[in-house]
Every structure is written in structure tokens, then in C-alpha cells.
Amino acid sequence: AKQPTMQAGPSVLGHGAQDFKGQDAKLSIIVGAMAVSDIVKSTLGPRGMDKILQSQSGEITVTNDGATILKKLTLDNPAAKILVDISKTQDDEVGDGTTTVCILAGSLLAEADPLLSQRIHSQIIVEGWRIALNAARKALESAAFDISADQKLFREYLLKVAKTTLSSKIVHVAHDHFAEICVDAVLRLKGSGNLENIQILKKAGGSMRDSFLSPGFILDKKIGVGQPKRVENAKILIANTPMDTDKIKIYGAKVKVDSLSKVAEIEQAEAAKMVAKCDKIIACGCNVFINRQLIYNKPEQYFADKGIMAIEHADFDGIERLSAVLGGEIASTFEHPELVKLGECELIEEIMIGEDKLIQFNGCRAGEACTIVLRGASSHILDEAERSLHDALCVLKTIVQDPRAIYGGGCSEILMAEAVDAVAKQTPGKKSLAIEAFAKALRTLPKTIAENGGYDSTELVTQLRAAHNQGHSSHGLDMEKGSIGDMKQFGITESFRVKCQSLVSAAEAAEMIIRVDEVITCAPRQRSME
């Protein structure tokens, strides 16, 4: 009998498109996610290392912030892109824990890989993970404690949280100094949580310890020539208006004159227009004029003669912030001076930071406003210090709004892992294997922190488990001595909300990735040879 010839199935995908199914698809996405978590693994914890990222244009970034590293990577693997997204969400939502999220999601997938090899369905693994997530969250909630009861202690706890966040950053050398700066800045907000009112100004020079918090607002601009350098009880007109009415703005317009005196008349008419606009501005009753656009020589001279301070080219961010801080509105036309709302502050003066002159606004109407001036040896250090402070400010804002804290140093992860293990023992069926895998994944976080410090991670994590089972529920890793210790004594405190968010985000992302059974890649766009 003739053997029937095998025919390939009909292809519905375009030419050049790729299709991975079953085991191949699972392998590619799990390996991709694990690879991304391995990239950021070495940056976790107080002994974490930094990465140098070089863009295509040759621009260099030195950072150990998980979200920044992942944002700058060019990735091809779809699962890896999902992890980048969750770290970005974590950064937007709570500001810190971006590396934790990636490592936890990667560990969950790594632990799920052997279960898939045992032919356990991914939906069963997901079910188990959901049970484990609920148990972990309950354990975390029961371990959390409120820090807002006593106002004096509240500030101390905020300092501890800030120090814990900053201890893994570039500023850890002076983390006491920076923790004070961040806590003072956030407490000035009086619970509003509007970080827009905190401006971070970077000035190269000096050392990081020279950084300081300035109450009020600092604008990195110059005061006009011959104008007062100090104004008390300032009435400030904030504007976004063109002062160059000396231009004929109709494109292609030509003016023909038969003598030079006519040119002089046109120039006089234009100057008169400018002066008229300046008079309208002065009629608003201001003694300080700040414009987003340029103020040209003639108006500048006119304002100087009238004793008005004029500041030109204050960029859009500066204008928006000034409007919020001084309580004034941004004006563009001045036909009705009575409708223009002026900003107010007690004192405007010129100050020196390093070699640069800047303008300081003191006693602003929005008392929450302040400026953190960062000093440092180079622009790369300043950029990384700004990212570090942004993380700390976000965490402090979060904990002021939700004043629950937990102990750090791997303590809460072990606590959750033990609670999840207890649930696994009571759960029948294959789900219990997935629940155990979840507990193992949680333990990789303290393990990674210990490994980054160069210590024996297996020894320390097993000691930590034993300590927790003996009732020492606040024990964690002491990275100074390479042993375990009481986090309550060390003051290593983290925000409950940040930890909870990273736990939930990582679990949801891993759940999404593991349910995938097919990866279809579009055909690359054909480029013509012309």
C-alpha cells in the first residue's frame, strides 16, 4: 500500500510571521521574564550594585533604580516587556519597590516552571497563587502597625522609613542628612501629598552633604539689568505674553517708505506700542513682573525706570509652579487690570549657590512650597541623587496618606512565606504545590539581599525562618554583620502600602504571563531597496 504523504497545514499567518505554541511558547516567555529579573537582581538591597546604561546616542546613565534600568532597555521578548510595564506602574503608583516587583514576578515564574514540566495545568497554578496571595496579604496586614498615633513618634518613624528607602541608593553615605531633608519637605505639604510643590534643583559642585532644603521657591533665572535685586511684600504678576510688539507679524508684509524719517516714525510707533503694553502691566499694581517669554531691552529699561523687578524667560514648569506657589494666575492680556489675580510673597532676593545667582521667593502664599537644592560632583551623580530623593518623597507621601508600616530587611517576606506555607499544608490537591512555590518565590527576596552583600544566603534565610517560627516575628537580615537581628531595634521600617502594591503587582503580572500558551510575532516590515 502506498504511504499517504504528510501535508503541512494551511498557514493563515502572513509570510515571515512566527508562531510559538505549547512548550516552546512557555519556555520563551518564562526564560524572558527570568532574564529581566536577573538583570535587576544585583541592584536590590543596601549592598546592591549600580548599572551603567549607554543609549544609542552615547548618553550615559548610572543608576540602581529598577524602573529606570528597565525603561532604558530595548527588549524583544513579550514577557520581558510585561515586567517593564509593572515596574513602571509601581514607580508611578508608589515610587519605590520597582526592583522588588521584577524579582518577585521572575521568581514566581521560575518556581512555576518545574510545575508545568510535571503537567500541572497553568490555571491550577493560578488558583493556588490566588489562595497564596490572599494568605500573604492577610499576614502582611496583621504585621502592619499604625505610626500616626503620636505626632513626635510619627516624625521619627518617617525618618526611619526614609533612611530605609535611601539606604540602597547612591546617597546612602549621607542618608541621615537626606532623610531629614525629605521628611521636612513632605511634612511641609501638610498631608496634601502634592509633590509638585517640592522643587528639586540640581547644581553641580560641592559634595552631596552640601545639599539643603530651602523654604519657599528658588527660580534659576536672572533679574533684569538696573532693577531692584530685593523686593519686600512683593505683588507679582505672572504672565505668558509676547513683549515684542515691535515685529510686523503679517508674513510677507512689506512697508515701502520714501524717506528715512518715515522709518523712524514706524520705529516710534512700535516703541509706543511696547510702552503702552508696559503701562497696562504696571496698571495691574504689581512690583514684580515674571514672564514666560522674553522681555526685550526697551520694556526692561522701562520697568527699571519705574522700579519694577522683571524676570524673563521663566520656563513653563517654573511659571506653572510659581502660579501654584504664589497664589497668582497666569495672565496673557492686560485690558482689565481688576480681573488679574496677583501672586504674593514676603520677600524676593538674589542668592548665590556655588557660582550661580538664583532668585529666592520667601514667605509664599502656599506655605507648603519648598526647594531641595542638590549638590554633587557631576551631572550623573546629581541625576541619580534626584531619582533617589524622588523615591523617598513618594514613599513618604504614601505613608503620610496610609500611616501603616512594617519591618524591612526581609522580615515581612519571611513572615508572608511562613503564612503561605501554613495554608499549603491545609490545602488538598495540586494547588498546594503552587502555594508552596509562591512561598519559595517570596523567600528569594531576602536571599537576593543576602547574596548581594556577599553572605551565605541559604544559611541566613534558614536561620531567619527558624527565628520566625520561634516567635521572633520582627527579625530580619543585619547586612552590617552578615547575621540576623531584630529590625525593631535597627529601625528598619518600610511602608505597608508599597510592600503590598509590589506583592499584588508581581503576582498579577506572573499570573498573566503563565496563562499564555502561544506567542505570535508579526512579520517584520519589508523595506524597499530603493
Side-chain angles (χ1 to χ4, degrees), residues 100-117:
T100 309
V101 145
C102 256
I103 294 172
L104 187 52
S107 304
L108 280 167
L109 291 166
E111 293 298 335
D113 194 22
L115 298 181
L116 291 169
S117 305

Side-chain angles (χ1 to χ4, degrees), residues 66 74 181 192 194 247 262 374 424 457 489 491:
T74 312
I181 288 176
S192 74
N194 183 12
K247 297 271 191 302
K262 295 276 171 56
L374 287 178
S457 57
Q489 284 177 354

Side-chain angles (χ1 to χ4, degrees), residues 353-375:
I353 297 177
E355 299 290 306
D356 300 333
K357 285 182 180 175
L358 300 103
I359 306 162
Q360 185 170 35
F361 296 76
N362 286 327
C364 303
R365 183 177 277 185
E368 302 101 56
C370 61
T371 302
I372 297 173
V373 180
L374 287 178
R375 307 301 310 278

Side-chain angles (χ1 to χ4, degrees), residues 7 63 90 113 143 145 153 243 262 289 368 494 516 519:
Q7 283 188 337
T63 183
Q90 178 80 5
D113 194 22
F145 52 93
L153 282 173
M243 298 299 288
K262 295 276 171 56
F289 175 62
E368 302 101 56
E494 292 182 34
V516 172
V519 179

